[in-house]
Amino acid sequence: MEDSSSKSFLRKQWDEYKEFWADRFPFTNVYSRYIGREQSLPSWSESDVNEFIASDPVHGPILKTAREAANIALYGSAIGAITTAGFAWKYSKSLHGAGLSFVGGAVFGWTFGQEIANHAYQLYRLDTMAAQAKFMDWWENKCRR
């Protein structure tokens, strides 16, 4: 490694910039064990998730809440896609416009649904990433047995 005194000004700034954003977006460190594996984990069912929720008193309820929030976001996505595409079709009769409105409405609906769920379930107080990682570890250990 280079000595810090021998680094250029731009190199020091770049390293600080990378470190700053790595601290704020730690999901790459948390999920790196699960992404790009040689042998992927088998898919899990709803009953497997419910078994984890019942077995882990700390992370189970957090995972359940995060899954409920994802369902709200999914409903928001469906509502946004259908309504914006419907309005675009009603007023323009343009197939490509309605298609783009469908996609845009789905993205915006997902975003708004996720924000509503975030505030309704107070997800900002919970460590949902740790609960998901704990579930992945639990699932990996269960598959090894």
Side-chain angles (χ1 to χ4, degrees), residues 10-21:
L10 292 175
R11 181 54 138 180
K12 288 178 190 174
Q13 293 297 320
W14 177 250
D15 290 342
E16 289 176 14
Y17 177 80
K18 287 193 317 187
E19 183 179 331
F20 174 82
W21 286 110

Side-chain angles (χ1 to χ4, degrees), residues 44-72:
W44 53 83
S45 66
E46 188 72 25
S47 63
D48 296 323
V49 175
N50 290 333
E51 181 183 342
F52 171 76
I53 290 170
S55 69
D56 192 332
V58 175
H59 297 318
I62 296 172
L63 184 65
K64 182 179 180 181
T65 304
R67 290 173 63 85
E68 290 170 359
N71 285 336
I72 290 175

Side-chain angles (χ1 to χ4, degrees), residues 6-144:
S6 67
K7 288 185 181 179
S8 69
F9 174 75
L10 292 175
R11 181 54 138 180
K12 288 178 190 174
Q13 293 297 320
W14 177 250
D15 290 342
E16 289 176 14
Y17 177 80
K18 287 193 317 187
E19 183 179 331
F20 174 82
W21 286 110
D23 289 343
R24 276 138 187 88
F25 294 103
F27 59 85
T28 54
N29 294 336
V30 173
Y31 293 122
S32 63
R33 297 185 315 222
Y34 312 114
I35 299 172
R37 298 168 55 107
E38 287 183 24
Q39 184 180 13
S40 63
L41 292 172
S43 60
W44 53 83
S45 66
E46 188 72 25
S47 63
D48 296 323
V49 175
N50 290 333
E51 181 183 342
F52 171 76
I53 290 170
S55 69
D56 192 332
V58 175
H59 297 318
I62 296 172
L63 184 65
K64 182 179 180 181
T65 304
R67 290 173 63 85
E68 290 170 359
N71 285 336
I72 290 175
L74 180 65
Y75 294 140
S77 180
I79 291 168
I82 292 168
T83 55
T84 56
F87 278 118
W89 182 255
K90 179 180 179 182
Y91 293 111
S92 72
K93 300 290 188 220
S94 168
L95 184 60
H96 69 280
L100 288 172
S101 295
F102 184 85
V103 172
V107 171
F108 295 136
W110 180 275
T111 303
F112 292 138
Q114 188 66 37
E115 283 299 313
I116 289 168
N118 190 17
H119 291 290
Y121 291 122
Q122 298 180 349
L123 291 178
Y124 50 85
R125 294 182 176 186
L126 305 174
D127 191 1
T128 56
M129 200 173 354
Q132 292 170 358
K134 182 78 173 187
F135 170 73
M136 294 294 288
D137 292 339
W138 177 84
W139 180 245
E140 185 175 26
N141 290 335
K142 184 177 178 184
C143 291
R144 284 187 194 160

